Amino acid sequence: VAKDLGWKVPATGVRLLDKGRTQYFALHGQTGHLVTAERIDREQLCESEQQCVLRCEVIVEGKM
């Protein structure tokens, strides 16, 4: 994420917003890498779907 948006890491004022109650992703503060926050069970989340998509938003506070 940091590389794609041209941030200098560590980034401050950045957070991820997942839809739903479970936080599946996290932003590594030192590298700016998007990582999984926990194990993602595709069969449980998308049991009848051919394609499984999890969406999240990156919120940046301040100037870019």
Side-chain angles (χ1 to χ4, degrees), residues 17-22 24 55-57:
L17 180 64
D18 289 344
K19 296 191 179 202
R21 294 183 175 192
T22 305
Y24 293 109
R55 300 185 191 282
C56 69
E57 295 180 37

Side-chain angles (χ1 to χ4, degrees), residues 16-62:
L16 292 175
L17 180 64
D18 289 344
K19 296 191 179 202
R21 294 183 175 192
T22 305
Q23 188 80 27
Y24 293 109
F25 304 104
L27 193 60
H28 191 274
Q30 298 298 315
T31 63
H33 292 164
L34 182 67
V35 296
T36 54
E38 63 178 53
R39 183 181 171 99
I40 298 174
D41 185 352
R42 183 192 184 288
E43 285 77 23
Q44 181 183 10
L45 290 172
C46 307
E47 61 187 59
S48 62
E49 301 292 323
Q50 177 103 13
Q51 184 178 20
C52 189
V53 177
L54 297 175
R55 300 185 191 282
C56 69
E57 295 180 37
V58 178
I59 311 275
V60 180
E61 298 171 359

